[in-house]
Amino acid sequence: MTTLSGAVLASALLLSFSANASAQLRRIELGAAADYLGWSSMVPSAVGEGRDDRIAFGTHWALGGTLSAWLGRWVALRANATYAKSSLVHSEDPFHEPQPREVFLDRDVRLLSASGELVFRPLGPRSRRLLFLLPVVPYVAIGAGATWIDPLFGQSCDESAGQLCGTVFTSDTGAYVLDRRTVPTGLVAFGLDVPMHRFLGLRAELGNRVMRSPLSHVSFDSNG
């Protein structure tokens, strides 16, 4: 097995609603989110002929929701879930090539992530002026969960018969299979809450997801 880091490269937009709760909870927040994600390579790079080859999920949008319970004015517990349709791509390094050549290995990969996080306001709940204009409340979030990866959407396979349940492909570093599986996921993020009303606000978040690679190395015998 290999390991990889998946990065949330753009911000998440969150619409939140607050309501008074019990004496133990200051408020409950329910939100809807749209994330834009980019992924690092899942396999070691094979550099040759001036190219940096990579195997990764393509950049994509994800839709989801959050439920937060504030334990006080500084700390909250947050449940987070997202769903996305992506693709598995073999390409040159997009950070060095303005228009990298891409080969689609699997055009229909479904990703479902869920995590629990601790949210902390390091500067307290009082809003600060961003660029002397926009009131914001900074926060950091750290948590863990799992991501379910399905490269065979709408299809079934007989794993009991020893079949590979996923997409098999080759790269410069060997042969791999993208399995249908659930992998552990961690999250570290920094965000800004933008209060608009007592019961309404916006949230922008930039973070990084770290997860175990869903790829398995494949060895072929004499029978293939």
Side-chain angles (χ1 to χ4, degrees), residues 139-158:
Y139 69 90
V140 293
I142 182 171
T147 300
W148 182 63
I149 300 167
D150 183 10
L152 300 171
F153 182 72
Q155 302 179 38
S156 61
C157 56
D158 186 7

Side-chain angles (χ1 to χ4, degrees), residues 15-27:
L15 182 65
S16 63
F17 302 88
S18 303
N20 293 331
S22 64
Q24 289 77 25
L25 300 178
R26 291 192 59 87
R27 61 180 178 175

Side-chain angles (χ1 to χ4, degrees), residues 12-96:
L13 179 65
L14 179 69
L15 182 65
S16 63
F17 302 88
S18 303
N20 293 331
S22 64
Q24 289 77 25
L25 300 178
R26 291 192 59 87
R27 61 180 178 175
I28 301 293
E29 291 182 348
L30 178 64
D35 302 346
Y36 188 70
L37 290 85
W39 299 88
S40 59
S41 181
M42 300 183 189
V43 299
S45 297
V47 181
E49 300 180 359
R51 297 187 306 171
D52 185 4
D53 293 329
R54 61 191 299 273
I55 305 293
F57 294 129
T59 55
H60 59 85
W61 285 96
L63 299 178
T66 62
L67 177 64
S68 303
W70 286 91
L71 307 179
R73 298 172 62 86
W74 295 67
V75 180
L77 297 177
R78 185 175 74 175
N80 190 357
T82 60
Y83 174 80
K85 176 184 177 182
S86 186
S87 56
L88 186 66
V89 178
H90 183 192
S91 70
E92 298 175 2
D93 192 340
F95 299 104
H96 295 89

